[in-house]
Amino acid sequence: MTMNLKKYPHKLLVKLYFDMLRINKVQLHIESLYHLDEMKTPIHLSIGQEAIAVGVCANLRQNDYISSSHRGHGHYLAKGGDLKRLIAELYCRETGCSKGRGGSMHLVDTSVGHMGSSSIVGGGIPIGTGLGLATQMKAEDRVSVIFFSDGAADEGALYESINFAILKKLPVIFVYENNQFAVCSHVSARQAGEIIFHKTPHDAMPSQAVNGNSVMDVYEATKQAVMRARQKSGPSFIECKTYRVRGHAGAGSDEKLGYRTAEEIREWEAKCPVRAFSEILLRDGVLNETEIQIMEETIDCEIDEAFRFAQRSPLPKPEDVTKYLFCD
Amino acid sequence: MTMNLKKYPHKLLVKLYFDMLRINKVQLHIESLYHLDEMKTPIHLSIGQEAIAVGVCANLRQNDYISSSHRGHGHYLAKGGDLKRLIAELYCRETGCSKGRGGSMHLVDTSVGHMGSSSIVGGGIPIGTGLGLATQMKAEDRVSVIFFSDGAADEGALYESINFAILKKLPVIFVYENNQFAVCSHVSARQAGEIIFHKTPHDAMPSQAVNGNSVMDVYEATKQAVMRARQKSGPSFIECKTYRVRGHAGAGSDEKLGYRTAEEIREWEAKCPVRAFSEILLRDGVLNETEIQIMEETIDCEIDEAFRFAQRSPLPKPEDVTKYLFCD
Amino acid sequence: MPWTKIKSDVNEPNYYLESDENIRRLSYSEAIREAMDQALELDQRVFIMGQGVDDPGAMFGTTLNLHKKYGSQRVFDTPLAENALTGIATGAAIGGMRPVYFHNRPDFLFLAMDQLVNHASKWYYMFGGAVNVPIVLWACIGRGWGSAAQHSQALQGLFMHIPGLKLIMPSTCYDAKGLMLSAIADNNPVLIIEHRLNFRHKGFVPETPYRVPIGKGIIRKQGKDITFVAISHMVTEAYKAAEELSKEGIEAEVIDLRTLRPLDEEIILRSVSKTGRLLIADCGWKTGGITAEISALVAEKGFEFLKAPIRRVACQDVPTPSGYTLEEAFYVGSNDILNAAREILQIR
Amino acid sequence: MPWTKIKSDVNEPNYYLESDENIRRLSYSEAIREAMDQALELDQRVFIMGQGVDDPGAMFGTTLNLHKKYGSQRVFDTPLAENALTGIATGAAIGGMRPVYFHNRPDFLFLAMDQLVNHASKWYYMFGGAVNVPIVLWACIGRGWGSAAQHSQALQGLFMHIPGLKLIMPSTCYDAKGLMLSAIADNNPVLIIEHRLNFRHKGFVPETPYRVPIGKGIIRKQGKDITFVAISHMVTEAYKAAEELSKEGIEAEVIDLRTLRPLDEEIILRSVSKTGRLLIADCGWKTGGITAEISALVAEKGFEFLKAPIRRVACQDVPTPSGYTLEEAFYVGSNDILNAAREILQIR
Ligand SMILES: Cc1ncc(C[n+]2csc(CCOP(=O)(O)OP(=O)(O)O)c2C)c(N)n1
Ligand SMILES: Cc1ncc(C[n+]2csc(CCOP(=O)(O)OP(=O)(O)O)c2C)c(N)n1
Ligand SMILES: [Mg+2]
Ligand SMILES: [Mg+2]
């Protein structure tokens, strides 16, 4: 990354770094405690993909929408979702963001425009598109961002949704987090080549591929897309090329499974977007070691508090199992 | 059409014309009798689209597969399906190609590779792709042609099927019969622009748009695609631009409905592919008026016979309603 | 094709009023159209989508010219992309709108099952009540004229199994309007399944907007000898059969469930407690269909009332055949109800 | 996550042999894998497809390394495009192959409903027997560890409603192999729904290929006082409950249906004719589920035998909650069966 950071406000750069670091640390902490079997929920870590959630969401306002997936911790936090309620959800507590009904794959925080994530791969794509439709119909000034990965790109729902978004010029941004894997299956085993939506005519839907491990690249691409959406000019498509460094689900590396090489994983771990950005910030004097140290401590404190909050929170009562079936 | 017909065998040109004329006449005859309410089945006429079924199928062998839709009379006949059994199916007879269980939208003639048509729009696309997969796995020398129209092009099943066909290099030809309408809805009300599959890299899937009202254009485009499939080089995509001159379903024009102009219908009726081709053939001396006259009479005879066959055939017995639920 | 031009010249059975000639009658499709018109008028959040809602066919007339009155932003045609469009409707509902998504036939809902069942129906529960999904899906069962296997499925048996989804099947013009207005006002996903044969009817429909409560059945005819439970156009068939039996001095009680989920258990159990005999009539398949659930309900909670086996009158368990001689054997109607009732009552 | 590493160290109930220590035992997943291996070996038309069938997880081990033995043309990974891939499998079957399409969970079948229900299940009937579709779909129900609403649906209640589709739910290792081989040999679409909890078991599995007939239930325990009808892992639960009752001198007859469609009506009716009491246990939702159909069958054809209300033990009618305290309330097991049985028998 040889980009010139000078043109960006200091505050923005600090925020980008802080948010990435925080998402990274939260997930490492979850990972470190997962073996205790107290978080009785599947987890899908987005370690190594922090730049995408953060680079995108830094362009969004509180009332903008995002749509997310099973691998959604990063999106939730980047959009401003409450950390305590995230951890409480992992601990299956009544104080969780989904009141212990959803678990790690089903996060929600409507106060920041996170309207719920689907664990059906591709399931969130039409819903995010529909949020764009609502925005347009209500003549609101909102953007709807849809995060999805290469597995979801296999699904016809993507084709159908993009067609509709272009047709209606919806304020939707398709953020294709191409981390190259769906469980153990490499994208090349499932897709015939580069995703075809890059070929969409520019005026209908500008499309580009960026380095998903560079928060500034993601930020810049999203900035254009958000501008376009706010100007009511229609949807955009951004492919963020990245890699899933952890196993598909659960804690730790899945190196031993042998479906990909240890070197490949190492290579991509070396491209850690958080560390990469910290190096630039240090190099360019945007931050110094002490400041980063303080950030780390702040985050650690917040994480400890969130876990304590979660662990001490009440569990849903069995007799409430039928609650929330219907809304009055 | 300024093409040079000299390079084609006389027999082929005659066959192309004969087949188009026959499909045209069969449908006109169905149409003329439909008001009698004896054919108790919905009908979807492909008048004006004869060149596509014929131009494509002239390249196929008996054991090649086709997959068709609710608007499938032309495909069935062009592929060599039995006329008597088609008409008997419209008359709901036990002698129908589907034994009176399927009706006009569900035709089948396995002896000529027509393995059944779906009336779920887009439903036949994956099935035709799967026929290509079977062919490849059995190392057979067959091609699988999928006929579908612009309504089906809205469906994610098309995207999913094309992706798979390219991924596995299947011997499949996607024939996009763009007749501009799905019921009363113009393609521009449903699709964001030109279909994106024209943008597929050429080596993965060659794609082209041709004049769907020119049988020779369709023939030529298909020829290349069939060659590619037989060489096991993978799928092709052909858009045949055409127009549905009749109403969506039933007999006659739907001009009075007012969702399109009478002029537009007239304009396209003037482009009738059967007449257009006859003019060329006459001009170039491939056929003369008498020969055409004889063809007409031959076809009329065959049609009369088919209708007589159908009308005299037995009806399915009510007590057989549960027959064919399961195959032994 | 006759089934494309269903004439609404038959009055529905006269459930409401004894002999008032001056009541306001609308056709079934006019009743629904009036509901849509009023909903669009009264609530800016309401909009209509679906294949052909703005075309001359206009979903059997139920949406006719509403796009002209309310604009093509609020009444719009959709691509044939049932899965994404259901998700888009769901997203729009989450974003504060109230979409009504029309389908010609329930068969096409099979393409939309992921969004309808995995998403819309679960969203409220899955997020602990944080987000609700006020969408209405509407579909009309095909029948006859060789509609065949892929164009005539009556899928209430499937949808009744889905928690989080309300399921409505009206039988009268009055209810078609009132239940539509309730469905639109409901804060949950609601599926309305209509039946083409209902569209033959004209019936009493007040002009002012009104709501018929979801989850409440109604007795269409009082009786003491046997209970007929039915939905949609099978109510008409059951009523016909009941009138026939009446002539023989047997009084069947006819219950129109109107809603299948939530189910009005009480109205069924109360009736069976009186009659001791139960016949359930459906226009869908028998095995695993709605007749099964209603029977099981009574075998569980009303067993002590039962004097005879519970009989189910429903379609044959095969894909719908196209041929008319086979259609005759596939579908059931008042005669089948009559025969089954006689068996239960052991007459003749 | 514990549920990803189900250990198969528990022997299934000893239904088959009195006390033979020397029988060949395989784990549930090995039993299925052996079926797949033999099917691939014996019939060139058979192939396996599905997300991850060639990965190290290998569908709970059921397809482990088969791609190495038979090549990646016959055992291959698929895109996440469940609808088209089901149609592609259908097309391949029409073209003379015998695909077995594996899914992790039934939830994902909602994406495939159009091809499975509108197409594969209707093709043979719709074309008057001209073309049949020998495909097998396989899916394994999730449970526990917060699988939640979109990853734990037990959808047999839906699929039992579909004409033209065979539906199998084995409960033992022996049947898992034998029914898989029957399903592959069958000329019709067959859906096999497994349950994760079955994968804990080891059981008797002969090495040679064999077939267990589709459409035939089996009595797992003889009894005269009450009939328990169950499927899949609920058979184990019912059996446990029956053993418990045995201690009290009450003999429950435990029927393992094995196939839900076609349903073995006779085995149910014969048992109820003896016991007069019926309890049906399912791991799916109650309303409109398989317990409804089985109850309705008996209320229609075995009414005269019944001495007590029919009880249904099934999951709560809500989307599956993720939290473990709620999961406890959502799922049912041998205790619920025991309690319901006691109510029917009016003990305590
Ligand atoms: C429709 C559907 N099919 C299959 C699955 C099972 N599944 C869960 S996550 C996953 C992989 C998804 O890959 P991708 O979309 O690339 O997301 P990533 O895990 O990389 O974030 C699969 C196959 C699912 N949840 N939904
Ligand atoms: C999935 C699905 N949605 C809706 C319909 C209702 N329908 C029947 S034909 C038709 C129009 C199809 O248009 P197109 O694919 O362009 O075929 P064409 O009629 O032009 O041949 C529609 C919407 C259907 N049969 N299937
Ligand atoms: Mg991925
Ligand atoms: Mg068309």
Side-chain angles (χ1 to χ4, degrees):
Chain A
M1 270 186 287
T2 50
M3 56 176 53
N4 185 356
L5 293 185
K6 298 244 167 68
K7 64 172 177 172
Y8 297 104
H10 183 261
K11 219 174 115 182
L12 170 69
L13 297 172
V14 171
K15 180 182 159 51
L16 289 173
Y17 181 66
F18 183 87
D19 284 1
M20 282 206 287
L21 185 66
R22 180 165 171 264
I23 290 170
N24 180 269
K25 278 179 151 288
V26 167
Q27 296 196 91
L28 290 173
H29 203 78
I30 293 168
E31 196 175 27
S32 72
L33 296 179
Y34 196 60
H35 70 280
L36 297 177
D37 281 354
E38 287 173 1
M39 288 174 264
K40 297 187 200 305
T41 182
I43 53 167
H44 301 81
L45 302 172
S46 62
I47 292 171
Q49 301 176 218
E50 293 88 348
I52 302 166
V54 171
V56 168
C57 291
N59 288 285
L60 302 181
R61 303 181 186 148
Q62 185 167 338
N63 75 344
D64 288 329
Y65 291 124
I66 65 163
S67 163
S68 165
S69 70
H70 58 286
R71 198 175 303 287
H73 301 165
H75 309 140
Y76 175 94
L77 291 173
K79 190 64 177 61
D82 187 280
L83 177 62
K84 281 184 181 155
R85 298 192 69 196
L86 166 64
I87 306 300
E89 192 57 36
L90 304 190
Y91 278 87
C92 306
R93 305 293 155 145
E94 190 69 39
T95 54
C97 59
S98 303
K99 297 212 167 75
R101 271 73 177 172
S104 139
M105 303 193 290
H106 304 295
L107 306 177
V108 69
D109 191 339
T110 57
S111 70
V112 296
H114 186 310
M115 309 307 278
S117 51
S118 171
S119 65
I120 296 295
V121 172
I125 298 174
I127 293 178
T129 308
L131 287 165
L133 178 63
T135 298
Q136 184 184 70
M137 295 187 91
K138 293 162 90 177
E140 292 176 337
D141 182 12
R142 295 190 201 236
V143 170
S144 175
V145 169
I146 300 166
F147 291 103
F148 64 99
S149 187
D150 51 297
D154 297 350
E155 296 279 4
L158 179 62
Y159 171 80
E160 295 178 353
S161 297
I162 287 179
N163 180 48
F164 190 79
I166 299 177
L167 188 69
K168 300 283 177 190
K169 289 193 172 223
L170 299 182
V172 173
I173 305 173
F174 295 91
V175 178
Y176 175 22
E177 252 175 292
N178 187 352
N179 65 4
Q180 305 184 36
F181 289 94
V183 193
C184 305
S185 156
H186 192 261
V187 59
S188 62
R190 291 173 286 103
Q191 283 174 41
E194 272 273 299
I195 194 154
I196 194 150
F197 302 108
H198 288 321
K199 304 285 178 60
T200 311
H202 188 82
D203 57 335
M205 182 178 77
S207 183
Q208 59 177 311
V210 302
N211 175 0
N213 283 34
S214 160
V215 68
M216 295 318 300
D217 287 4
V218 175
Y219 178 81
E220 278 302 326
T222 309
K223 195 171 169 181
Q224 293 166 36
V226 168
M227 214 175 332
R228 178 176 158 86
R230 294 212 196 285
Q231 286 163 355
K232 310 198 189 314
S233 306
S236 302
F237 188 97
I238 304 169
E239 176 179 3
C240 302
K241 295 197 185 262
T242 184
Y243 191 85
R244 195 195 72 218
V245 294
R246 288 297 197 274
H248 166 66
S253 171
D254 64 354
E255 209 175 297
K256 62 187 179 311
L257 293 180
Y259 67 93
R260 50 183 183 174
T261 64
E263 294 77 61
E264 188 179 284
I265 300 175
R266 283 305 91 71
E267 220 171 86
W268 279 94
E269 277 175 344
K271 297 183 194 166
C272 167
V274 191
R275 201 172 44 245
F277 196 51
S278 80
E279 280 162 13
I280 296 171
L281 295 176
L282 288 170
R283 184 197 67 196
D284 289 7
V286 180
L287 284 175
N288 63 37
E289 297 279 4
T290 326
E291 285 164 330
I292 289 187
Q293 186 59 31
I294 293 171
M295 278 188 190
E296 301 238 9
E297 283 162 19
T298 314
I299 293 168
D300 287 342
C301 273
E302 192 200 358
I303 291 175
D304 282 348
E305 208 181 313
F307 274 79
R308 262 198 311 278
F309 168 80
Q311 287 155 348
R312 288 176 189 168
S313 285
L315 289 157
K317 297 200 206 84
E319 60 268 32
D320 284 343
V321 70
T322 56
K323 208 171 158 180
Y324 305 121
L325 175 58
F326 285 122
C327 174
D328 288 334
Chain B
M1 268 186 285
T2 52
M3 56 176 53
N4 183 357
L5 293 183
K6 297 244 168 65
K7 64 174 178 171
Y8 299 104
H10 182 261
K11 219 174 113 181
L12 171 69
L13 298 173
V14 171
K15 181 183 158 50
L16 290 173
Y17 181 67
F18 183 87
D19 284 1
M20 283 203 289
L21 185 65
R22 181 165 172 263
I23 290 170
N24 181 267
K25 280 180 149 286
V26 167
Q27 295 195 92
L28 290 174
H29 204 78
I30 293 169
E31 197 175 27
S32 71
L33 296 179
Y34 196 61
H35 70 279
L36 298 177
D37 281 354
E38 287 172 2
M39 289 176 264
K40 298 187 198 305
T41 182
I43 53 166
H44 301 81
L45 302 173
S46 62
I47 292 171
Q49 301 176 218
E50 293 88 348
I52 301 165
V54 171
V56 167
C57 291
N59 287 283
L60 302 182
R61 303 181 186 147
Q62 183 166 341
N63 75 344
D64 288 329
Y65 291 125
I66 64 163
S67 164
S68 166
S69 71
H70 58 287
R71 197 175 305 285
H73 301 165
H75 309 139
Y76 174 94
L77 291 173
K79 190 63 180 59
D82 188 278
L83 176 63
K84 281 185 183 156
R85 300 192 67 197
L86 166 64
I87 305 301
E89 191 59 35
L90 304 190
Y91 278 87
C92 306
R93 305 293 154 146
E94 190 70 38
T95 55
C97 58
S98 303
K99 297 210 168 75
R101 272 71 179 172
S104 140
M105 302 193 290
H106 304 295
L107 306 177
V108 70
D109 191 338
T110 58
S111 70
V112 297
H114 186 309
M115 309 307 279
S117 51
S118 172
S119 64
I120 296 295
V121 173
I125 298 174
I127 293 178
T129 308
L131 286 166
L133 178 63
T135 298
Q136 184 184 69
M137 295 187 92
K138 293 163 91 179
E140 291 175 337
D141 182 12
R142 294 191 201 235
V143 170
S144 176
V145 169
I146 301 167
F147 291 103
F148 64 98
S149 186
D150 52 296
D154 296 350
E155 295 280 3
L158 178 63
Y159 171 81
E160 295 179 354
S161 297
I162 287 180
N163 179 47
F164 191 78
I166 299 177
L167 188 70
K168 300 283 177 190
K169 290 190 171 226
L170 299 182
V172 173
I173 305 173
F174 297 90
V175 177
Y176 175 21
E177 249 173 295
N178 188 352
N179 65 2
Q180 306 185 36
F181 289 94
V183 194
C184 305
S185 156
H186 192 259
V187 59
S188 62
R190 291 173 287 103
Q191 282 173 41
E194 271 275 299
I195 195 153
I196 194 150
F197 303 108
H198 287 321
K199 303 286 178 61
T200 311
H202 188 81
D203 57 336
M205 184 177 76
S207 185
Q208 58 177 311
V210 302
N211 175 359
N213 282 33
S214 159
V215 68
M216 295 318 299
D217 287 5
V218 175
Y219 178 80
E220 278 301 325
T222 310
K223 195 171 171 182
Q224 294 166 36
V226 168
M227 213 179 329
R228 179 176 156 86
R230 295 213 195 283
Q231 287 165 355
K232 309 195 189 318
S233 305
S236 303
F237 188 98
I238 304 168
E239 176 178 4
C240 303
K241 296 197 186 261
T242 184
Y243 190 85
R244 197 196 70 219
V245 293
R246 288 297 195 273
H248 166 66
S253 170
D254 63 354
E255 211 175 298
K256 62 187 179 310
L257 292 181
Y259 66 94
R260 49 183 184 174
T261 64
E263 294 76 62
E264 188 180 283
I265 301 175
R266 286 301 93 71
E267 219 171 89
W268 279 92
E269 278 174 342
K271 298 183 194 165
C272 167
V274 191
R275 200 171 44 245
F277 196 49
S278 79
E279 282 163 12
I280 296 170
L281 294 176
L282 289 169
R283 183 197 66 196
D284 289 9
V286 180
L287 285 175
N288 62 37
E289 297 280 4
T290 326
E291 285 164 330
I292 290 185
Q293 187 59 33
I294 294 172
M295 277 187 190
E296 302 237 10
E297 282 162 18
T298 314
I299 293 169
D300 287 342
C301 272
E302 193 200 357
I303 291 175
D304 281 348
E305 207 181 312
F307 274 79
R308 262 198 311 277
F309 170 80
Q311 287 156 348
R312 288 176 189 170
S313 286
L315 289 157
K317 298 200 205 81
E319 59 268 33
D320 284 343
V321 68
T322 58
K323 209 172 158 181
Y324 306 121
L325 176 58
F326 286 122
C327 174
D328 288 336
Chain C
M1 288 163 291
W3 53 258
T4 59
K5 354 176 168 107
I6 294 175
K7 285 212 207 81
S8 53
D9 45 10
V10 187
N11 283 346
E12 62 188 27
N14 196 4
Y15 305 129
Y16 296 97
L17 302 145
E18 278 313 304
S19 64
D20 191 347
E21 294 295 307
N22 298 323
I23 56 167
R24 178 175 184 264
R25 280 191 194 277
L26 290 187
S27 72
Y28 202 85
S29 69
E30 286 163 347
I32 297 171
R33 188 184 176 285
E34 188 165 273
M36 299 318 302
D37 191 4
Q38 292 173 346
L40 286 162
E41 180 76 44
L42 295 170
D43 189 342
Q44 282 300 313
R45 299 169 304 172
V46 175
F47 69 93
I48 293 178
M49 56 192 274
Q51 281 147 36
V53 293
D54 58 357
D55 78 11
M59 287 286 156
F60 315 91
T62 59
T63 59
L64 195 66
N65 291 332
L66 292 173
H67 64 294
K68 293 186 185 155
K69 185 160 175 194
Y70 297 100
S72 63
Q73 236 218 349
R74 292 185 69 199
V75 182
F76 61 83
D77 196 15
T78 55
L80 280 81
E82 289 82 355
N83 195 40
L85 267 297
T86 305
I88 288 167
T90 299
I94 291 171
M97 300 299 290
R98 295 195 165 249
V100 186
Y101 185 9
F102 279 81
H103 294 268
N104 257 293
R105 300 166 192 264
D107 310 68
F108 312 147
L109 293 175
F110 277 124
L111 281 154
M113 293 291 270
D114 172 54
Q115 284 297 331
L116 179 57
V117 182
N118 279 335
H119 294 86
S121 303
K122 294 180 172 40
W123 218 252
Y124 187 69
Y125 190 93
M126 198 157 72
F127 298 109
V131 193
N132 65 309
V133 182
I135 55 167
V136 178
L137 264 70
W138 186 99
C140 182
I141 301 166
R143 176 174 166 163
W145 207 257
S147 291
Q150 298 179 328
H151 276 69
S152 60
Q153 292 168 89
L155 299 176
Q156 54 272 22
L158 285 189
F159 291 110
M160 194 182 183
H161 190 46
I162 307 303
L165 180 66
K166 297 191 177 180
L167 176 57
I168 290 174
M169 294 188 74
S171 88
T172 66
C173 301
Y174 183 95
D175 286 351
K177 176 175 172 183
L179 283 165
M180 175 57 92
L181 287 172
S182 291
I184 293 173
D186 202 283
N187 283 321
N188 301 282
V190 179
L191 172 61
I192 302 178
I193 301 184
E194 302 281 4
H195 195 289
R196 264 178 178 55
L197 295 188
N198 285 343
F199 282 78
R200 294 182 303 194
H201 290 164
K202 289 182 170 238
F204 169 54
V205 180
E207 189 162 358
T208 49
Y210 57 91
R211 294 188 195 159
V212 171
I214 295 175
K216 288 272 165 258
I218 188 168
I219 294 175
R220 294 295 181 196
K221 182 180 167 305
Q222 306 271 351
K224 59 177 190 353
D225 300 319
I226 183 169
T227 301
F228 292 171
V229 172
I231 40 89
S232 190
H233 101 93
M234 291 308 283
V235 175
T236 316
E237 299 293 317
Y239 189 80
K240 261 194 238 166
E243 294 215 302
E244 206 51 41
L245 284 175
S246 238
K247 295 181 195 157
E248 304 167 24
I250 294 157
E251 294 306 330
E253 181 144 299
V254 180
I255 296 175
D256 177 356
L257 285 175
R258 306 197 288 194
T259 301
L260 282 165
R261 192 148 186 173
L263 184 64
D264 189 346
E265 300 191 355
E266 209 187 305
I267 198 170
I268 300 169
L269 293 170
R270 204 180 323 113
S271 179
V272 177
S273 77
K274 186 168 63 174
T275 64
R277 294 180 180 86
L278 176 60
L279 181 156
I280 312 150
D282 184 22
C283 52
W285 294 304
K286 182 173 178 182
T287 296
I290 68 156
T291 62
E293 177 56 33
I294 295 160
S295 168
L297 163 74
V298 174
E300 197 158 21
K301 299 189 183 167
F303 182 74
E304 73 238 28
F305 312 134
L306 284 173
K307 298 178 201 152
I310 300 170
R311 284 294 304 269
R312 303 186 277 161
V313 174
C315 291
Q316 297 269 356
D317 282 311
V318 293
T320 315
S322 63
Y324 52 95
T325 50
L326 297 166
E327 278 179 343
E328 273 306 308
F330 175 79
Y331 288 111
V332 289
S334 62
N335 263 334
D336 306 274
I337 296 172
L338 213 46
N339 291 338
R342 292 207 165 106
E343 273 175 47
I344 300 174
L345 293 156
Q346 298 188 301
I347 18 182
R348 226 178 333 153
Chain D
M1 287 163 290
W3 53 258
T4 61
K5 346 174 172 115
I6 293 173
K7 284 213 207 81
S8 54
D9 45 9
V10 187
N11 284 346
E12 62 188 26
N14 195 4
Y15 304 129
Y16 296 98
L17 302 145
E18 277 311 305
S19 64
D20 191 345
E21 295 295 308
N22 298 322
I23 56 165
R24 179 175 182 265
R25 278 190 195 278
L26 290 187
S27 72
Y28 201 86
S29 70
E30 285 162 348
I32 297 171
R33 188 184 176 284
E34 191 165 272
M36 298 319 301
D37 191 2
Q38 293 173 347
L40 287 163
E41 181 76 43
L42 294 171
D43 189 341
Q44 283 301 312
R45 298 171 302 174
V46 175
F47 70 92
I48 294 177
M49 57 191 275
Q51 280 146 37
V53 292
D54 59 356
D55 78 11
M59 287 288 155
F60 315 92
T62 58
T63 58
L64 195 65
N65 291 331
L66 291 173
H67 64 294
K68 292 185 185 156
K69 189 163 172 191
Y70 297 99
S72 63
Q73 237 220 347
R74 294 186 65 200
V75 182
F76 60 84
D77 196 15
T78 54
L80 280 81
E82 288 82 356
N83 194 39
L85 267 296
T86 305
I88 288 167
T90 299
I94 291 171
M97 301 298 290
R98 295 196 165 251
V100 186
Y101 185 10
F102 280 79
H103 294 268
N104 259 293
R105 302 165 192 264
D107 310 68
F108 311 147
L109 294 175
F110 277 124
L111 282 154
M113 294 291 269
D114 172 53
Q115 284 296 331
L116 179 56
V117 182
N118 278 336
H119 294 86
S121 304
K122 295 182 172 39
W123 218 252
Y124 187 68
Y125 190 93
M126 200 157 72
F127 299 109
V131 194
N132 64 308
V133 182
I135 55 167
V136 179
L137 265 71
W138 186 99
C140 183
I141 301 166
R143 174 173 166 163
W145 207 257
S147 291
Q150 297 179 327
H151 275 68
S152 60
Q153 292 168 89
L155 299 176
Q156 55 272 19
L158 285 191
F159 291 111
M160 194 180 185
H161 190 46
I162 308 303
L165 180 66
K166 297 191 177 181
L167 176 58
I168 290 173
M169 294 189 73
S171 88
T172 67
C173 301
Y174 182 95
D175 285 350
K177 177 176 171 183
L179 283 166
M180 175 57 92
L181 286 173
S182 291
I184 293 172
D186 201 282
N187 283 321
N188 301 282
V190 180
L191 172 61
I192 302 177
I193 302 185
E194 303 280 4
H195 196 289
R196 266 180 175 55
L197 294 187
N198 284 342
F199 282 77
R200 295 181 305 195
H201 289 162
K202 287 180 171 240
F204 169 53
V205 180
E207 190 163 358
T208 48
Y210 58 90
R211 294 187 194 159
V212 170
I214 295 175
K216 287 273 164 258
I218 188 169
I219 294 175
R220 295 297 182 194
K221 185 180 165 304
Q222 305 272 352
K224 58 177 189 356
D225 301 319
I226 184 170
T227 300
F228 292 172
V229 171
I231 40 89
S232 189
H233 100 94
M234 291 308 283
V235 176
T236 317
E237 300 292 317
Y239 189 80
K240 262 194 237 167
E243 295 215 302
E244 206 51 40
L245 285 175
S246 238
K247 294 180 194 156
E248 304 168 23
I250 292 157
E251 295 306 332
E253 182 143 298
V254 180
I255 295 175
D256 177 355
L257 285 175
R258 306 197 288 195
T259 302
L260 282 165
R261 190 144 187 175
L263 184 64
D264 189 346
E265 300 191 354
E266 207 188 306
I267 199 170
I268 300 169
L269 292 170
R270 206 181 321 114
S271 179
V272 176
S273 76
K274 187 167 63 175
T275 64
R277 294 179 180 89
L278 176 60
L279 180 155
I280 312 152
D282 184 23
C283 52
W285 294 303
K286 183 172 175 181
T287 296
I290 68 157
T291 62
E293 176 56 33
I294 296 160
S295 169
L297 163 74
V298 175
E300 196 158 22
K301 299 189 185 169
F303 181 74
E304 72 237 31
F305 311 134
L306 285 173
K307 299 178 202 152
I310 300 171
R311 284 296 302 269
R312 303 186 279 162
V313 174
C315 290
Q316 297 268 357
D317 282 311
V318 294
T320 316
S322 64
Y324 51 95
T325 49
L326 296 166
E327 278 180 341
E328 274 305 309
F330 175 78
Y331 287 111
V332 289
S334 61
N335 263 335
D336 305 274
I337 296 173
L338 213 46
N339 291 339
R342 291 207 167 106
E343 273 175 44
I344 299 175
L345 293 156
Q346 300 190 298
I347 18 184
R348 228 182 331 153

